[in-house]
Amino acid sequence: MATWNASSPTASPSRFVSSRRRTKAPRRRPSFESPPRKMKSIADIMAKSVPVLEQEQDDSYGDVTCEKCGSGERDDELLLCDKCDRGFHMKCLRPIVVRVPIGPWLCVDCSDQRPVTSLSQKKILHFFRIEKQIDQTDKSESQEETRKYRRRSCSLTVKKRKRKLLPLVPSEDPDQRLKQMGTLASALTALGIKYSDDLTYITGMAPRSANQSKFEKGGMQVLSKEDLETLEQCRAMCRRGECPPLVVVFDPLEGYTVEADGPIKDLTFIAEYTGDVDYLKNREHDDCDSIMTLLLSEDPSKSLVICPDKYGNISRFISGINNHNRSGKKKQNCKCVRYSVNGECRVLLVATRDISKGERLYYDYNGYEHEYPTHHFL
């Protein structure tokens, strides 16, 4: 870079301009002027835009009807199979679909799993291991045995002293009994539960030696001899196919429930609560809604519960009711009672009042655990 030397006589003071041009400062804009707009307004865009024609809606599924009822109404409840594009109403399917499935859905014909719709008489008898049909001799004998255990008219004080279990009275029509057993077989098959009218003891769970009534905290009431005979009589009747007058129905809100298919008298034995016997400590985090208390021991590690998730009978589908509110108490018509039967703990379902035909069966949610928080249950 050249410099000016003041001592040089030939040198004259001059302004040095470098090879790099100096830019001018930007002109300041008066404050009253608005800044330039960088984006166009919506009005300008819409003025220059070309209107787009609306695409015609695909009406290829407008004429889809339900394959079960043949109606195309209630299209919001119409499910389309992702494979065959056929339609089915959620309420027309068996079992009923309560909510719209998440993800792909296949109909019965396109899926591998085929639900049991109806069972033949042979399959029902084989399902419940019934070996023979009822003849007139057995029927007359069962009626005579039933008359023995009918309550006689007497004073109220005597009735309170002699409250005995009554044997179940099955439906007289054999075809009606097959329909009743068919509803139970279909419900058990749909949930993957095997039929069992006894308590089951599986390896890895509680052994049968742990189920002793002497371990009960405060003791357990012993089933009387007469009630034990009634229990054995009812079990023998079920083995012959004389089931209680009950049907299993599916409700969209409550799921599988049990309804009376005939009148049931007060104190009638309905069923024994059956299933796998396990320690309570192993089921503390189990989400099954049908676990029943079997044994409450002084040592909590020895307390037992019944889990009807793999084995069970009709007691699995009888609904529990909250007894903390008035409406719940009015619905309750059954009770789970724990008895000591031959030194073992058993849970029996007994009617607490007369039950009419078509009435649903409800028992107490709380059972023996009065501290159990069921105040907000339905």
Side-chain angles (χ1 to χ4, degrees):
M1 177 183 293
T3 60
W4 173 65
N5 191 355
S7 60
S8 176
T10 60
S12 60
S14 64
R15 189 177 180 183
F16 174 75
V17 181
S18 64
S19 60
R20 180 181 300 174
R21 289 188 68 181
R22 184 177 179 180
T23 58
K24 295 181 179 180
R27 183 176 64 87
R28 292 188 178 182
R29 186 170 48 251
S31 59
F32 58 85
E33 292 184 5
S34 59
R37 288 183 293 184
K38 297 182 180 180
M39 301 181 65
K40 295 182 179 180
S41 64
I42 297 295
D44 296 340
I45 296 175
M46 295 299 295
K48 295 181 180 180
S49 63
V50 179
V52 180
L53 297 177
E54 295 184 359
Q55 297 180 356
E56 295 183 0
Q57 190 176 4
D58 186 10
D59 198 25
S60 58
Y61 296 100
D63 56 348
V64 176
T65 58
C66 178
E67 297 293 329
K68 297 293 184 180
C69 64
S71 172
E73 299 179 354
R74 306 193 312 274
D75 53 351
D76 56 334
E77 300 179 3
L78 202 62
L79 297 179
L80 295 180
C81 178
D82 292 327
K83 189 174 181 180
C84 64
D85 285 342
R86 293 188 301 168
F88 299 88
H89 283 126
M90 294 190 294
K91 294 182 179 180
C92 295
L93 295 170
R94 292 297 181 269
I96 297 175
V97 179
V98 182
R99 299 178 182 88
V100 177
I102 300 175
W105 178 80
L106 300 178
C107 64
V108 179
D109 297 332
C110 297
S111 62
D112 296 333
Q113 298 179 356
R114 295 176 177 267
V116 179
T117 55
S118 61
L119 299 177
S120 62
Q121 176 180 351
K122 185 177 180 181
K123 289 184 178 180
I124 293 175
L125 297 179
H126 178 72
F127 188 90
F128 294 99
R129 298 187 292 273
I130 299 173
E131 299 179 355
K132 64 176 183 178
Q133 293 290 336
I134 306 169
D135 54 13
Q136 293 298 120
T137 306
D138 294 339
K139 184 176 179 180
S140 60
E141 291 178 357
S142 62
Q143 290 178 351
E144 291 179 0
E145 292 176 353
T146 304
R147 294 193 189 98
K148 292 181 182 179
Y149 295 96
R150 286 182 180 175
R151 293 179 297 174
R152 299 178 181 178
S153 57
C154 54
S155 61
L156 181 61
T157 56
V158 177
K159 283 186 178 180
K160 289 184 178 179
R161 292 176 186 174
K162 297 182 179 180
R163 292 180 64 87
K164 301 175 183 177
L165 294 181
L166 298 177
L168 57 92
V169 181
S171 302
E172 296 182 358
D173 187 7
D175 295 335
Q176 187 67 20
R177 292 199 295 267
L178 284 175
K179 292 181 181 179
Q180 296 164 3
M181 290 187 291
T183 59
L184 174 58
S186 299
L188 291 172
T189 305
L191 297 182
I193 301 175
K194 296 182 179 179
Y195 173 76
S196 176
D197 215 18
D198 299 296
L199 296 175
T200 52
Y201 300 90
I202 307 299
T203 305
M205 299 184 186
R208 187 165 187 170
S209 58
N211 183 14
Q212 298 186 29
S213 56
K214 63 182 180 181
F215 297 147
E216 173 70 17
K217 181 180 179 180
M220 183 178 292
Q221 56 182 333
V222 181
L223 191 66
S224 64
K225 183 179 179 181
E226 294 181 355
D227 291 342
L228 181 59
E229 292 177 355
T230 303
L231 176 62
E232 294 300 329
Q233 175 191 350
C234 294
R235 291 172 63 87
M237 292 169 65
C238 291
R239 287 193 294 267
R240 296 196 301 264
E242 301 177 25
C243 60
L246 303 171
V247 291
V248 182
V249 296
F250 185 83
D251 186 273
L253 298 178
E254 299 184 11
Y256 287 103
T257 59
V258 178
E259 293 182 357
D261 200 32
I264 300 176
K265 293 291 185 181
D266 183 19
L267 289 177
T268 299
F269 170 77
I270 296 175
E272 179 182 355
Y273 210 97
T274 61
D276 294 335
V277 179
D278 198 2
Y279 289 107
L280 176 61
K281 60 182 180 180
N282 298 337
R283 301 282 178 158
E284 290 180 349
H285 303 288
D286 200 315
D287 58 353
C288 180
D289 58 349
S290 301
I291 295 179
M292 175 64 63
T293 302
L294 179 63
L295 173 63
L296 291 175
S297 176
E298 291 281 357
D299 185 1
S301 62
K302 295 183 179 179
S303 297
L304 302 177
V305 291
I306 305 174
C307 308
D309 50 356
K310 295 181 181 178
Y311 295 89
N313 57 7
I314 198 168
S315 61
R316 165 66 174 79
F317 303 105
I318 298 179
S319 303
I321 195 68
N322 184 8
N323 69 347
H324 287 292
N325 52 52
R326 185 174 298 177
S327 60
K329 290 182 179 180
K330 291 179 66 176
K331 285 184 178 181
Q332 181 182 344
N333 49 22
C334 301
K335 187 177 182 180
C336 287
V337 189
R338 294 186 298 150
Y339 285 105
S340 174
V341 180
N342 298 326
E344 293 184 349
C345 303
R346 307 272 280 276
V347 180
L348 307 183
L349 274 164
V350 182
T352 56
R353 59 175 174 83
D354 292 344
I355 303 174
S356 58
K357 182 178 180 179
E359 186 178 353
R360 289 187 179 179
L361 274 62
Y362 293 98
Y363 68 90
D364 186 2
Y365 258 133
N366 299 301
Y368 299 88
E369 296 81 10
H370 299 286
E371 300 85 5
Y372 194 70
T374 61
H375 298 73
H376 304 289
F377 281 24
L378 296 177

